[in-house]
Structure formats: structure tokens, C-alpha cells
Amino acid sequence: MKRETLLIWLITLVTLFSGFFNLISLIRPFSPAPAFIDLPLVATSRLLTLLVGLALVVSAVNVYRRRRLAYYLVLGLAVVAALAQVSARPDLIGLVGPLLLLLLLARTRHLFTTRTGRPDLGRTLVRIGLALLAALTYGTAGFWWLGSRDFGRTFSPAASLVEAVRYLLLLGDPALSTETAFGRWFLLSLSWITVFLLAYVLYSLFRPIAYQLNTRPHERARAEALLKLYGRAAEDYFKLWPDKSYFFSSSGNCVVAYGVSGSFALALGDPVGPAEEIAEATAEFLTFCRENGWGVAFHNTLPDFLPVYETLGLRRLQIGEEALVDLTTFTLEGKQGRWLRKSVNKLEREGIALELVRPPLPDAVLAEAQEVSDEWLTIPGRRERTFTLGQFVPEYVQQTPMLVARDASGRMVAFVTIIPSYAPGQATADLMRRRRDAPNGIMDYLFIKLFEYNKAEGFSSFSLGLAPLSGYEEIGEEATLEEKALRSLSQRLDFLFGFTGLRQYKGKFATDWKPRYAVYGSPLALPRYERALSHLSTVPALTQERWFSPGRWRRFGRVTLELVEEIQRLRRGG
């Protein structure tokens, strides 16, 4: 473990110790205050000790996360804790934690690099004000209504308000006795309200920087220029979709396309840039995410830079395989192309014809394609996705070459859109959609014609995209625990995509399979990675319904527990 990590752990534990000691000191026996100290000062000291203790305990989490604001807050709390321990009731033992904390913080400012979001002061104050009003109303009404029954005395509305304020400030009247269990619970509930309010205030201060998708046109143009120079994967095209933000390395030669969901940054594929600068660019992006308080993972990366990620302390998980077709050997002739030729001839005898429409697509063609797409979405299991794929956006589709299959009457029954590929010599496609009543084998027909078209254009291979959870049967002993666990659970896990039988279908054409990976920090990041991928790849109009679906959360919890249990079993050698 690095020295810096040990120091952070030490400061975190000392912060926790100091906070808990402050709380415990309120209930353990201690020497009475000197006679010259007024009782109100003693009461104030106790309140201060309680609040500081609670704040230190809550702040320990943010110390561990290296938040800059936590450094200054804990520094101030340590000073206040020390003063509270000696002001009204001297306690030398209680000074150990705050003094040790001050010594540790004095020389470790450089370790706290994580920024926090700028709090919306107006909204925060309004929310706190409403919460305080509700608490005061609750407390005042409680004392007024419960008075004679639970406290043996009656309270006027003004007296009820005064008592509510006292107890919310944790300065309750010791002479007030309760005659029922409900009365004791009511007084305790006021203390808990104060604790919750304090926790909310601290949360408002320490929340991560809010991510705002705000990509400028020149940034996208700059990213596209780098992709043309250094692109390596067919799906790199989707790094230019408007749902991406861009991080450029300090040299300006590398770019990372990413999105953020729930304070978790998900990069699509590998950084783009010269191979010799990928390590530095990745390290800078990790620092950028850490400073913003975000978790981070890379989705659908190539095997090329796995050593770079491992050097930076990241882990890898094979999430599937990319299906590739060798166009140089693809043919409809002879015995090898017999079944392909048979499929094509059958549909063409039925009157199916192919049409290549170049952009900009005529409005009539675009309207037909929209109709086909809408009908395709009514097929069970079909839905729009984004982030890693394109979606039917008229402005996008109209500027994309399209292969169209028409029946004997001239009606469009299926189509495929052709997109640029940034992998040298490799072609790919995006949207492939059909009508519900399209002839059997129509998608095979489109694939075959697409392969012929790209072969004639001079491409040597074609990417059919990712087959999720594919390739685990070939994983060897060098696999990570997470990969072995996913191999054991691959028949039950379907958390990346809802596609079933995808490998079998792509296997009809694929001649080669290339592993693809997720790269992340620790196994604890896997559930956040799944959640971010699911959220980012869901079309916004459907996000709310899916995000709050009880079935989704039950499935998410079950999958996470199964994965953890499988990893533990593998570690035990079971």
C-alpha cells in the first residue's frame, strides 16, 4: 500500500476516533466544571461537543475520499473540539484525538485533491428553512398536545415553542420529566431531527460536482480530427454522438469520450491518440475524475492497452467479444457460399430488391424508414439505445447512407444504415430494422448485401459489434476472479444488454472474435459501472420508467449478490 494511501487511512481513522470520543465523552463520568464557569457555558460546551462529534464522524467519509473541503472543515472541527474539551470541563484525554488530527493535517494538504460541487446556497437555505419550520411545528405541537398526559404539566403555545427550540438545539430542560414511554420517545425524536438536519447540511457541502453535458462544437470537431488520425475501433464513431463529453490530455493529442451518471464517469472505449501517450492521458483522466468526486470505468475497450491500465492500478473484466467478418474471403460462389446464395436467391425470387440511398435521404424515404423503425420497436425485446449505439433521430438518419430492402410492391420492409468506421480497413453499420411482417431471412439478406457492398468498396473486414457475455468458455487460468465468476454465472446474468442469442446469430457470419473489456478500479465499482451503463445507454424518454422500476432494482440486487458470492467462492478455491 502506498504511503499516501496509508496516511489517508490514518487521518480517516483518527477523524472517526475523535468524533466518537466526543460523543462518548458526553455520557461518561467527568470532573465537574470549575466554580467560576457559568452553567450556560457548560451546556453550550456540551452542545458544541455533540455537534463537533457528529460532524467529525460524518466528515470521515469525505476525508477518505480526499475532498478539499473536508480538509478545511476537519481542520476547523479539530480546533473547536480541542477548545470544547478544555473550555468548560477540562479533559486531557479528549485532547489526544484533536491534537493528533491537527498534527496529521498540518503536512498533508497536498493529499486532498477532490473538489466538491458549488452548493446552490439559495436552494439549500430554502430547504433547510422548510425542514426547520417543519421541525419547529412538530415540536411545538407535540409539547402542546402531549403536555398534561405525557409530561404532567401543560404548555402554552409560546412555552411549547420555547421547549421545542431548546430540544432541537440539544439544550433540553433537565428538570422536565416524562411520565410515559411515548413522551420519552418524543424527546428522543427531536434529537434525531437535529442529527438528520446536520447530516443534510454536511451532505449539501460535500456532494460531488454535478455533471452537466455541455459539449462545444469546436470540442467535437477537435475530437473528430483525432479520431481520423488515431481511431482504432469501428464503434469509435459513437464517440461523436451528442451524448458524450470530452476530456483532452494536457498535450492535446489524446481525447477521452465519456458520460456521467450518478457521480460515475463511464468512458466509451479506449482513449484516442498516439499509442505512446495513452498512459499519460489515462492517468490525467483518472485524476480529473478523482478531483470531481466521480468513480470511473472504461467500457468496451480493446486488448491493446490492458498493460497500460494494469500499470495504473486498474482491473479488467472481459464483457464479451466483437464479431468480425473477413471480407477478403467472403463469397457467394462455390460450396462455401451455398447457404448464403440460397438465402439471397429465395428472397429475390419473392420480389425482394435492394436499393442504396445516399445522403441526404429524400423526405419520402426518411418517412418510410421512420415507419419501419416504429414498427420494429413494437417487436418484443426491441428498444432504442444510445451511448454505445445510434438511435433513430431523423436529422442523423437523413445524413447516413442506407441500404433498403423493398418487396415486390415497392414497400420498404427493412433497412440498414452505414456509418464511418475509424478502424483501418474495417467497415460497420448502425441501425438494422425491419417490419413485423417482413419475409423470413430478410436481415440475413441485408447483411449479405452489406458485406458485398463493403467488399466492393475495398474494406477487408466488417464489424458486427459486441456480443455481450460471449467468450467465457475460452477463458483460461489467467482470467481475473470477476471473469471466472461471470463465466459461472453467464447463463443467469444479462445486465449489460437484453440481447439473447446474439452470439449465435452473429456466429452465422463471423469468422473471427476479438475480446472486449471493461476496465475499472475495484470489484466494488462493478455495480456502479452496471448502473451507469444501463442509465447512459437508455434513451432519456424511457429512463425514468426503467430507473424506478421495482423489478429492475430487484434484478440489480440479485445479480450483485450472486456475483459477490461467486467471487468469494472462487477465492476460497471452491
Side-chain angles (χ1 to χ4, degrees):
M1 189 179 290
K2 295 181 180 179
R3 178 176 175 273
E4 291 185 355
T5 305
L6 285 172
L7 280 173
I8 288 294
W9 269 105
L10 180 59
I11 297 172
T12 302
L13 292 175
V14 173
T15 303
L16 270 177
F17 164 78
S18 299
F20 281 123
F21 189 87
N22 271 266
L23 298 177
I24 293 171
S25 69
L26 293 172
I27 58 175
R28 71 182 181 85
F30 57 86
S31 303
F36 61 85
I37 296 180
D38 295 333
L39 287 179
L41 181 58
V42 175
T44 302
S45 175
R46 292 179 184 175
L47 173 62
L48 203 56
T49 300
L50 176 62
L51 295 179
V52 168
L54 290 171
L56 283 171
V57 170
V58 174
S59 298
V61 176
N62 296 295
V63 169
Y64 174 73
R65 292 175 177 171
R66 305 190 184 197
R67 297 195 184 278
R68 294 177 187 174
L69 185 57
Y71 174 86
Y72 294 110
L73 180 61
V74 172
L75 190 64
L77 289 173
V79 173
V80 174
L83 293 175
Q85 291 292 338
V86 299
S87 60
R89 47 186 192 82
D91 189 351
L92 296 180
I93 297 178
L95 285 173
V96 174
L99 291 179
L100 180 57
L101 202 51
L102 288 171
L103 287 174
L104 288 170
L105 293 173
R107 301 182 63 86
T108 55
R109 168 63 188 86
H110 64 284
L111 299 181
F112 294 83
T113 56
T114 303
R115 298 178 294 166
T116 50
R118 180 178 299 175
D120 187 333
L121 187 59
R123 290 186 179 181
T124 301
L125 289 177
V126 168
R127 290 170 182 168
I128 292 175
L130 289 174
L132 283 173
L133 180 61
L136 284 173
T137 303
Y138 167 77
T140 302
F143 280 111
W144 189 26
W145 290 338
L146 303 177
S148 59
R149 189 191 71 182
D150 296 279
F151 299 105
R153 52 182 287 195
T154 59
F155 296 93
S156 67
S160 298
L161 176 61
V162 170
E163 290 297 333
V165 171
R166 283 180 178 176
Y167 275 89
L168 287 171
L169 291 176
L170 306 176
L171 294 171
D173 183 1
L176 181 63
S177 60
T178 56
E179 298 185 358
T180 65
F182 187 80
R184 290 189 291 273
W185 176 88
F186 172 72
L187 294 180
L188 182 63
S189 69
L190 293 174
S191 300
W192 277 112
I193 288 174
T194 299
V195 172
F196 290 142
L197 281 173
L198 176 64
Y200 174 73
V201 171
L202 290 173
Y203 166 76
S204 299
L205 290 174
F206 287 114
R207 60 186 176 184
I209 291 177
Y211 166 74
Q212 293 184 343
L213 178 59
N214 184 22
T215 303
R216 298 178 177 87
H218 73 86
E219 291 179 325
R220 185 168 286 109
R222 185 178 170 191
E224 185 175 11
L226 289 173
L227 280 168
K228 290 178 179 178
L229 287 173
Y230 305 109
R232 297 179 178 86
E235 72 279 1
D236 276 353
Y237 174 76
F238 298 113
K239 293 179 178 179
L240 300 177
W241 261 74
D243 60 354
K244 306 299 186 302
S245 292
Y246 300 107
F247 172 84
F248 294 94
S249 64
S250 56
S251 69
N253 296 327
C254 296
V255 62
V256 178
Y258 70 97
V260 177
S261 173
S263 72
F264 194 89
L266 189 64
L268 178 60
D270 300 290
V272 176
E276 63 274 12
E277 294 188 26
I278 294 298
E280 183 178 357
T282 305
E284 290 176 354
F285 179 66
L286 294 177
T287 299
F288 167 74
C289 292
R290 184 169 60 249
E291 289 180 349
N292 284 287
W294 300 337
V296 61
F298 294 80
H299 172 67
N300 204 17
T301 69
L302 297 166
D304 306 28
F305 300 116
L306 290 182
V308 170
Y309 297 130
E310 291 172 359
T311 301
L312 294 172
L314 299 176
R315 302 171 67 89
R316 49 111 172 145
L317 170 69
Q318 184 176 336
I319 58 173
E321 294 178 305
E322 180 187 16
L324 299 173
V325 179
D326 185 353
L327 296 181
T328 62
T329 60
F330 176 80
T331 181
L332 296 182
E333 305 300 326
K335 185 177 180 181
Q336 178 183 354
R338 181 174 56 187
W339 80 269
L340 301 176
R341 189 169 61 250
K342 182 178 178 181
S343 178
V344 170
N345 291 339
K346 174 180 176 297
L347 287 171
E348 289 183 346
R349 282 196 302 269
E350 295 175 1
I352 296 295
L354 188 73
E355 176 188 5
L356 173 63
V357 186
R358 299 189 181 277
L361 273 59
D363 291 342
V365 173
L366 184 63
E368 283 185 286
Q370 178 78 71
E371 186 178 323
V372 171
S373 179
D374 291 345
E375 194 170 328
W376 178 81
L377 288 170
T378 66
I379 300 174
R382 304 296 191 268
R383 56 184 169 183
E384 290 278 20
R385 287 197 174 269
T386 185
F387 195 74
T388 59
L389 298 168
Q391 63 187 93
F392 197 103
V393 177
E395 295 78 11
Y396 156 63
V397 175
Q398 192 165 34
Q399 300 304 318
T400 308
M402 179 182 288
L403 279 179
V404 174
R406 298 185 180 276
D407 62 15
S409 67
R411 185 182 67 142
M412 183 188 297
V413 292
F415 70 85
V416 56
T417 59
I418 304 170
I419 60 173
S421 169
Y422 290 97
Q426 190 175 100
T428 191
D430 184 16
L431 306 178
M432 295 196 68
R433 302 190 173 178
R434 64 174 176 83
R435 294 187 184 273
R436 293 179 70 98
D437 61 351
N440 289 332
I442 190 64
M443 302 313 287
D444 290 351
Y445 174 81
L446 272 179
F447 267 126
I448 293 167
K449 291 299 182 180
L450 190 59
F451 298 155
E452 288 186 319
Y453 167 78
N454 282 290
K455 182 176 182 179
E457 291 289 310
F459 290 97
S460 59
S461 66
F462 188 93
S463 172
L464 293 169
L466 181 71
L469 299 176
S470 168
Y472 289 105
E473 60 276 7
E474 291 91 11
I475 287 180
E477 290 302 317
E478 72 281 0
T480 65
L481 283 172
E482 291 87 344
E483 287 172 340
K484 291 179 180 179
L486 278 182
R487 176 180 58 187
S488 301
L489 294 170
S490 59
Q491 297 303 313
R492 287 177 285 169
L493 288 176
D494 190 24
F495 64 81
L496 291 178
F497 290 96
F499 303 155
T500 56
L502 196 55
R503 179 187 169 90
Q504 288 80 359
Y505 183 78
K506 293 183 177 183
K508 293 195 299 183
F509 304 103
T511 55
D512 190 21
W513 298 87
K514 194 170 186 177
R516 290 302 186 98
Y517 299 88
V519 177
Y520 55 96
S522 72
L524 294 177
L526 281 175
R528 297 182 69 195
Y529 157 69
E530 183 274 334
R531 187 172 62 179
L533 177 59
S534 176
H535 187 252
L536 290 171
S537 62
T538 302
V539 175
L542 304 176
T543 298
Q544 186 173 2
E545 176 184 357
R546 185 165 185 253
W547 186 251
F548 290 104
S549 167
R552 177 190 184 279
W553 282 102
R554 285 194 296 269
R555 179 171 60 88
F556 172 65
R558 185 187 73 250
V559 165
T560 302
L561 288 175
E562 287 179 344
L563 183 59
V564 170
E565 290 172 358
E566 191 66 24
I567 291 173
Q568 291 175 342
R569 185 187 68 78
L570 290 169
R571 281 177 172 162
R572 292 193 301 266

